[in-house]
Amino acid sequence: MIVEMRVGTTPEEIDGVVQKAKALGLGVQLNLGTNKTVVAILGSNTGQLTTDIFAVLPGVESVTRIMKPYKLASRGFKAEDSLVSVEGIEIGGRRVVVMAGPCAVESEEQVMQAARVVKEAGACILRGGAFKPRTSPFSFQGLEKVGLELLARAGHQWGLPVVTEVVDPHDVGLVSRYAALLQIGSRNMQNFALLTAAGRSRCPVVLKRGFSCTVTEWLTAADYLLSGGNSQVILCERGIRTFEDSTRFSLDISSIPVIKRFSHLPVIVDPSHAAGHRSLVPAMAKGAVAAGADGLLIEVHPNPEEALVDGLQSLTPSDFARLMDELRSVAKSVGRYI
Ligand code: PEP
Ligand code: MN
């Protein structure tokens, strides 16, 4: 349930709503907007309560039942777009934020070179996996802590904040000591222990869409992060599994306007994992920006043919530089910049 307070409501009136919810055993979360305060009433049994319980309280403008399972991620709770700040880089504003780098951190030389090429081409966040969630236990699993150190060093050297994946709830503290942005991968979108741990952190999180999950399930997963008190949440569309097998996954471009309609959270797109082949990545990246994505997460490798992971879908440095030039004009045509 969403309780919208009147403009100019007093702190006592807001507290009246909070106390009423607490007395009913319900949780609350406040959105103290510039004009208006909105109180989300959280609990599994709000469906059985009449909205009048809150509508009659002083200072209440209206009470709306949210029929969707997600609340805190909804536009009903927060009408204005959320901005997420990653070491001063704002995501969700007019700038389209490009995050790029190798799928996995493989060596100091590889990640340093990757950082240099993505920086020179105009990316502003460096990506690189240190903990890799691999389908097979026999595949390269990442350099783990050493990988975090190498990634952070490369980011520091080239003035780029870093984004990297966390796969274990116990590693949220460790990974956030190195990363400016935590990535929760597609295979872990509904790993509720991991979401809960990342929700307790104050490190910004990029939540990738599970490749078999609906937008509603994705936003409900985001509620785990938001309800833990972490308001710094970015969504990432990375393709879903369909009957189509000419690409690795099917990039669901429609999820961008759908997210913009139903949620206040920024949404970025990873064309690399959706495409599965580097020849397809540029068109998908440009399409995403044209459709309103707030950023891109792109795999770039200094030497894709030698990559230990995802070489086929990784752009070469020169492909990436060319794409960045093309993206600048696409961004401009939709009133944004890179
Ligand atoms: C990745 O970004 O390297 C990755 C594993 O992505 P996803 O979780 O989308 O498969
Ligand atoms: Mn990858």
Side-chain angles (χ1 to χ4, degrees):
M1 236 181 244
I2 297 289
V3 179
E4 242 182 275
M5 304 301 292
R6 273 191 206 122
V7 175
T9 187
T10 66
E12 292 73 33
E13 288 170 337
I14 298 168
D15 196 48
V17 174
V18 172
Q19 293 313 325
K20 182 68 162 190
K22 287 199 174 148
L24 292 165
L26 302 167
V28 289
Q29 191 141 335
L30 298 182
N31 172 27
L32 303 165
T34 34
N35 276 324
K36 230 178 208 198
T37 294
V38 180
V39 189
I41 309 288
L42 311 168
S44 54
N45 63 341
T46 53
Q48 280 126 45
L49 297 175
T50 143
T51 53
D52 288 1
I53 294 178
F54 296 102
V56 294
L57 297 177
V60 172
E61 169 88 31
S62 66
V63 184
T64 322
R65 234 182 243 299
I66 299 275
M67 297 311 287
K68 303 225 166 21
Y70 55 87
K71 293 185 173 70
L72 303 180
S74 73
R75 281 252 180 235
F77 177 56
K78 188 167 181 279
E80 63 279 10
D81 289 343
S82 284
L83 296 175
V84 174
S85 171
V86 176
E87 289 184 4
I89 297 165
E90 222 163 56
I91 298 151
R94 276 195 57 233
R95 183 181 191 182
V96 176
V97 173
V98 179
M99 313 177 190
C103 178
V105 176
E106 297 166 5
S107 68
E108 178 157 18
E109 198 196 350
Q110 172 248 19
V111 72
M112 277 292 174
Q113 275 188 38
R116 178 177 59 79
V117 300
V118 303
K119 172 81 180 195
E120 285 173 356
C124 56
I125 295 180
L126 175 65
R127 68 148 285 153
F131 293 94
K132 295 303 302 174
R134 304 308 303 281
T135 302
S136 163
F138 309 117
S139 304
F140 174 59
Q141 304 286 315
L143 297 180
E144 304 185 345
K145 189 160 182 285
V146 171
L148 291 176
E149 283 162 8
L150 297 178
L151 180 69
R153 212 177 298 157
H156 185 74
Q157 171 89 17
W158 290 96
L160 296 166
V162 300
V163 54
T164 196
E165 182 160 353
V166 56
V167 296
D168 185 319
H170 301 104
D171 287 337
V172 168
L174 169 76
V175 177
S176 54
R177 278 198 288 284
Y178 292 90
L181 179 57
L182 299 174
Q183 177 174 320
I184 295 187
S186 188
R187 289 156 190 82
N188 275 316
M189 190 205 86
Q190 288 185 313
N191 178 338
F192 302 115
L194 181 60
L195 294 172
T196 302
R200 285 199 202 106
S201 160
R202 290 300 168 264
C203 188
V205 179
V206 59
L207 178 64
K208 289 190 138 194
R209 179 180 183 179
F211 52 70
S212 57
C213 292
T214 62
V215 169
T216 297
E217 287 162 337
W218 188 15
L219 290 173
T220 311
D223 261 5
Y224 269 88
L225 299 166
L226 298 166
S227 65
N230 192 341
S231 60
Q232 301 291 289
V233 178
I234 302 161
L235 301 165
C236 178
E237 165 64 48
R238 46 78 71 212
I240 52 175
R241 192 153 273 170
T242 68
F243 53 81
E244 180 53 61
D245 62 1
S246 54
T247 49
R248 189 174 175 191
F249 294 91
S250 294
L251 183 65
D252 181 11
I253 285 275
S254 60
S255 74
I256 304 163
V258 169
I259 290 289
K260 293 284 172 200
R261 178 169 174 210
F262 293 113
S263 177
H264 54 88
L265 296 174
V267 60
I268 66 168
V269 167
D270 171 350
S272 307
H273 287 87
H277 195 284
R278 78 175 71 101
S279 65
L280 306 172
V281 171
M284 291 158 79
K286 288 181 276 185
V289 172
D294 296 304
L296 294 166
L297 181 65
I298 302 178
E299 287 187 342
V300 179
H301 195 288
N303 238 325
E305 56 280 18
E306 282 170 20
L308 296 181
V309 194
D310 285 348
L312 190 59
Q313 68 195 32
S314 298
L315 296 185
T316 62
S318 57
D319 285 346
F320 180 63
R322 192 173 323 114
L323 172 60
M324 286 296 283
D325 282 340
E326 292 170 359
L327 285 170
R328 283 188 190 96
S329 39
V330 178
K332 195 163 172 230
S333 71
V334 290
R336 304 183 80 163
Y337 68 97
I338 289 192

